[in-house]
Amino acid sequence: MTSLKITVLLATYNGEAYIKEQLDSILNQSFEDYKVVIRDDCSSDKTFEILEEYKNAHKEKIEIFRNTSQLGVVSNFEKLIQDSHSNYLALCDQDDIWDKDKLLKNIAALEKLEDQDKPFLIHSDLEMIDSKNETINNSFFNMRHYKFPRSRSIDIMLGRCGVMGNTIFFNQVLKEKILPFPKNLVMHDYWIALINEFFGQRITLNEALVKYRIHHSNVSNSFEKVLKNKFIKPKNRAVSLPYHGIEREKVLKEFLSRFSLKEEDKVIVNHFINYLVFNKSSKIYLISLVFRYNFFRQSIVYRLKLVGGILWKKQL
């Protein structure tokens, strides 16, 4: 086990309210052979002072860095990943709480991989908690109706994805494929999960190994967005369809230009791009994509709502 060389990568920004609980949960892991690298993105509160306290108390375990200018969450994680040379990397958010066996169970999952020399990604379910550590939902997967087939499922990763960055554990081989991040990337976990699904191996642990804190100042998922989960607003006819308005089509076009894909895979990617840019004259074509691929939820009710959204939406 001593040769595993695991690094936990933690990006921070104005996280003084919860950072101590997260650091304590990392430092109390049942598996002990790892280090923690933290990069603060110019916090204006006491976050960096707290990090220095923990660094001084755990010199052998923690390294901290501070950006000279604010990068934003995606670029901050990109810098952390870029500078890490450990065999395995575990991504971590500042306001969550890790299960004490998270790393141990990630490592145990390695034994299930067919080829550890290929890119791989291991991720897990999450328990949702509020600002007072009270449980909102025992399973993020169940609440969002996420089901991950064991087999390769690129349509799922192109659309709803569902792989949460604060649970991701991956290897250096995948790191080399994901860098650099595209300029228009909204969240890093989407890009990492997408590339792994095309070229690597995925293991989904249907167990909550992270207490995922949902509060009003979340960077990736606000309290209202996660709980209400409303994407389509037909009342105003200014319909907001899933994944529209976040420049994902630009990310996918760069993906196509950067990587060589099988023709059948390229077709699926282009179908999803066509949905994103709404560039087909026939809405019947777009509606057919809703039922042909699992870009969205499998629920027939949800898919029918999408059909309504496509019919309401004006051509761009």
Side-chain angles (χ1 to χ4, degrees):
M1 286 295 186
T2 55
S3 62
L4 283 172
K5 296 182 180 178
I6 297 171
T7 299
V8 177
L9 303 179
L10 171 56
T12 62
Y13 174 70
N14 286 354
E16 65 177 6
Y18 308 112
I19 189 65
K20 289 184 178 181
E21 285 183 281
Q22 176 63 298
L23 288 171
D24 288 341
S25 73
I26 297 170
L27 292 168
N28 289 328
Q29 288 292 294
S30 55
F31 179 82
E32 299 179 351
D33 189 14
Y34 64 93
K35 66 177 180 178
V36 185
V37 178
I38 308 168
R39 182 168 289 277
D40 184 72
D41 200 23
C42 305
S43 291
S44 57
D45 63 1
K46 295 181 181 179
T47 298
F48 196 74
E49 286 84 345
I50 294 170
L51 296 180
E52 288 183 313
E53 291 175 11
Y54 273 79
K55 163 65 179 174
N56 292 333
H58 304 275
K59 290 186 171 72
E60 77 291 348
K61 210 73 170 171
I62 296 177
E63 292 182 39
I64 59 173
F65 301 92
R66 194 173 199 177
N67 296 330
T68 55
S69 60
Q70 197 169 78
L71 298 179
V73 62
V74 173
S75 294
N76 201 18
F77 267 114
E78 181 179 27
K79 179 65 174 171
L80 280 165
I81 294 169
Q82 188 177 47
D83 292 345
S84 179
H85 302 287
S86 295
N87 294 341
Y88 306 109
L89 307 175
L91 303 188
C92 181
D93 286 353
Q94 66 184 3
D95 44 10
D96 301 329
I97 301 173
W98 277 16
D99 182 276
K100 66 181 180 65
D101 294 324
K102 181 187 184 301
L103 288 178
L104 188 66
K105 291 180 178 179
N106 287 159
I107 293 163
L110 290 174
E111 299 176 2
K112 301 177 183 179
L113 292 169
E114 296 177 0
D115 184 356
Q116 293 187 24
D117 292 326
K118 290 177 59 178
F120 75 75
L121 179 153
I122 299 169
H123 73 118
S124 73
D125 199 355
L126 313 92
E127 174 188 344
M128 300 169 64
I129 61 173
D130 62 15
S131 59
K132 298 179 181 179
N133 291 359
E134 295 181 359
T135 299
I136 299 172
N137 197 300
N138 288 319
S139 171
F140 184 74
F141 288 175
N142 289 343
M143 193 204 75
R144 296 296 293 267
H145 307 286
Y146 288 156
K147 294 181 181 179
F148 298 89
R150 291 185 179 181
S151 59
R152 181 173 179 262
S153 305
I154 61 175
D155 53 345
I156 287 177
M157 291 303 156
L158 280 166
R160 63 181 178 84
C161 187
V163 174
M164 297 296 288
N166 52 348
T167 72
I168 286 178
F169 182 91
F170 63 106
N171 63 352
Q172 272 285 328
V173 189
L174 181 56
K175 169 200 162 176
E176 296 302 324
K177 292 195 79 73
I178 64 176
L179 295 176
F181 288 169
K183 293 180 181 179
N184 302 99
L185 190 62
V186 174
M187 288 307 296
H188 53 283
D189 45 13
Y190 176 77
W191 180 252
I192 297 170
L194 180 70
I195 292 180
N196 184 76
E197 202 72 13
F198 275 88
F199 305 107
Q201 309 162 88
R202 169 180 47 83
I203 292 182
T204 299
L205 302 177
N206 291 301
E207 178 181 1
L209 299 182
V210 173
K211 291 183 184 293
Y212 176 32
R213 194 184 303 276
I214 303 297
H215 51 91
H216 295 282
S217 57
N218 274 87
V219 173
S220 58
N221 281 301
S222 70
F223 190 88
E224 291 81 1
K225 179 180 176 182
V226 169
L227 295 186
K228 294 181 180 179
N229 194 24
K230 292 184 178 179
F231 295 104
I232 302 172
K233 304 172 183 178
K235 290 183 180 180
N236 302 322
R237 295 186 66 86
V239 178
S240 176
L241 290 169
Y243 325 122
H244 277 221
I246 55 174
E247 298 189 317
R248 187 174 287 188
E249 64 276 8
K250 294 180 180 178
V251 170
L252 293 177
K253 287 176 181 178
E254 181 169 340
F255 173 73
L256 288 176
S257 68
R258 191 184 299 186
F259 298 102
S260 177
L261 304 181
K262 296 178 181 178
E263 190 59 35
E264 58 266 32
D265 290 345
K266 193 182 300 184
V267 167
I268 297 175
V269 176
N270 278 313
H271 277 317
F272 189 59
I273 290 174
N274 286 335
Y275 159 78
L276 292 174
V277 299
F278 216 74
N279 68 348
K280 288 287 182 177
S281 58
S282 172
K283 292 185 179 181
I284 299 301
Y285 162 77
L286 296 175
I287 291 170
S288 73
L289 299 182
V290 172
F291 293 97
R292 183 177 178 184
Y293 298 107
N294 195 14
F295 298 137
F296 316 99
R297 294 184 192 172
Q298 294 178 337
S299 164
I300 187 66
V301 173
Y302 189 79
R303 293 189 183 200
L304 288 173
K305 288 181 178 179
L306 282 173
V307 169
I310 289 171
L311 292 173
W312 268 309
K313 189 175 179 71
K314 296 179 180 179
Q315 289 285 1
L316 300 180

